[in-house]
Amino acid sequence: MDTSASLQVLNRALEAAPLVTFACAQVRRHHLPAAFRPVYYYVGIKALFYFLDMFSRLVFRNNVYLYHAGTVVLVCCLLQTYRQLLPGRFHPFIKAGLLVFLVVALLDAAVLNGLFTDVNTYSQAWGCAMLLALAIWHVLYLTRGAQQHPLETQPEFFLSTAVLVYCSSSIVSYVAINIIYHAGYDVATLIRLDTLLSAPDMLLMAVQMGLLAWMFQLFPLSVSPRRALPHWLHYSRWHPRRYRLLGRPLVGLRLPQPSRWSAT
């Protein structure tokens, strides 16, 4: 397997990272604070986009629209979270930035790049620039304030770290992908370059999802393991599966006796 094929397999594997993060959030959804619920929705939609992306590749041979939709979900959900985490003086900037972003995203999908033609370079750049600024302000707010708990025990610190890790590189990746698709290369070269440039973005997206999964595990489980264990034991002990073989239940099924001429 050559390098390009190996990177493509790696990219497909890293795309499943939101599934793990969503599983970590799903079992804690009842104890998530209101400020972190938009992050939970973002991860859930990303997990849904994973299956929608596979469907679009196989059926439509086009998944560009998911880049546009993914940026809108990312920016809208995380801006709502930062609106609740940051002081009130940041709220007018967040509201104005969101309005500008929605206009840019609409123009990007309709005129500038196209919903099914090119990746959304302009809306991704503007949205990630806003999120980077808010993440930096939030980290400064956490470090300068009188915190009673260390940063590694605060979920909001891992949220801002995840934003800084992913958004700082995704702008470069989106711009580079858009440039190579207008450089006049042949199809084989475009596929190789796209795979090469997408690998860092996919890797950092997986790192982002790992940080968000670590953030979610700081919240308590919706149902404690001690409370869930009796129900599981009751099911496993008193409700076994009734397996059948050729239409007959396995319990009481008599197997044919080996012939005395069979080899031992």
Side-chain angles (χ1 to χ4, degrees):
M1 184 181 295
D2 60 355
T3 304
S4 179
S6 301
L7 285 176
Q8 190 171 8
V9 172
L10 178 62
N11 288 346
R12 299 289 84 80
L14 293 176
E15 286 175 356
L19 301 180
V20 179
T21 307
F22 180 67
C24 294
Q26 179 69 11
V27 296
R28 296 169 170 84
R29 63 189 183 278
H30 297 310
H31 289 161
L32 293 177
F36 292 92
R37 287 204 164 270
V39 186
Y40 168 69
Y41 299 143
Y42 162 65
V43 174
I45 296 173
K46 286 286 289 184
L48 176 63
F49 280 0
Y50 171 73
F51 298 101
L52 190 58
D53 180 77
M54 291 193 300
F55 178 80
S56 300
R57 290 175 188 270
L58 294 175
V59 178
F60 304 122
R61 303 293 182 181
N62 190 320
N63 66 338
V64 176
Y65 70 97
L66 289 177
Y67 288 88
H68 294 263
T71 301
V72 173
V73 173
L74 168 70
V75 175
C76 292
C77 290
L78 295 191
L79 283 184
Q80 180 63 23
T81 295
Y82 278 120
R83 184 176 177 273
Q84 301 182 60
L85 294 178
L86 289 170
R89 65 179 182 271
F90 292 97
H91 294 178
F93 300 100
I94 295 176
K95 185 177 180 180
L98 178 60
L99 292 176
V100 175
F101 166 77
L102 292 177
V103 173
V104 173
L106 181 61
L107 291 175
D108 206 350
V111 179
L112 299 176
N113 283 313
L115 186 60
F116 298 97
T117 307
D118 291 317
V119 294
N120 51 320
T121 307
Y122 299 99
S123 59
Q124 180 76 8
W126 176 254
C128 286
M130 284 194 306
L131 291 176
L132 283 174
L134 291 174
I136 292 173
W137 285 337
H138 184 240
V139 171
L140 292 176
Y141 172 73
L142 291 177
T143 54
R144 290 180 178 178
Q147 300 294 332
Q148 299 179 353
H149 304 285
L151 290 176
E152 60 269 18
T153 62
Q154 300 184 45
E156 52 266 32
F157 173 73
F158 287 96
L159 170 66
S160 292
T161 304
V163 171
L164 291 172
V165 166
Y166 175 68
C167 292
S168 59
S169 68
S170 66
I171 300 176
V172 180
S173 300
Y174 274 59
V175 172
I177 291 174
N178 204 331
I179 289 175
I180 66 170
Y181 272 90
H182 294 85
Y185 297 111
D186 58 279
V187 177
T189 304
L190 285 177
I191 294 176
R192 288 179 176 272
L193 290 176
D194 180 77
T195 303
L196 180 63
L197 294 175
S198 300
D201 187 74
M202 287 293 104
L203 177 61
L204 292 179
M205 187 275 292
V207 173
Q208 177 204 30
M209 288 297 155
L211 290 169
L212 292 179
W214 188 269
M215 179 198 76
F216 283 121
Q217 67 89 26
L218 295 175
F219 298 108
L221 293 169
S222 298
V223 179
S224 64
R226 290 187 177 182
R227 291 180 56 188
L229 183 61
H231 297 281
W232 183 85
L233 291 177
H234 177 75
Y235 171 79
S236 63
R237 186 177 301 172
W238 298 104
H239 299 280
R241 295 179 181 270
R242 299 183 180 276
Y243 296 101
R244 290 177 174 270
L245 178 64
L246 300 178
R248 300 176 60 186
L250 292 181
V251 180
L253 182 65
R254 293 183 179 182
L255 298 178
Q257 296 294 330
S259 172
R260 63 189 182 94
W261 301 108
S262 61
T264 57

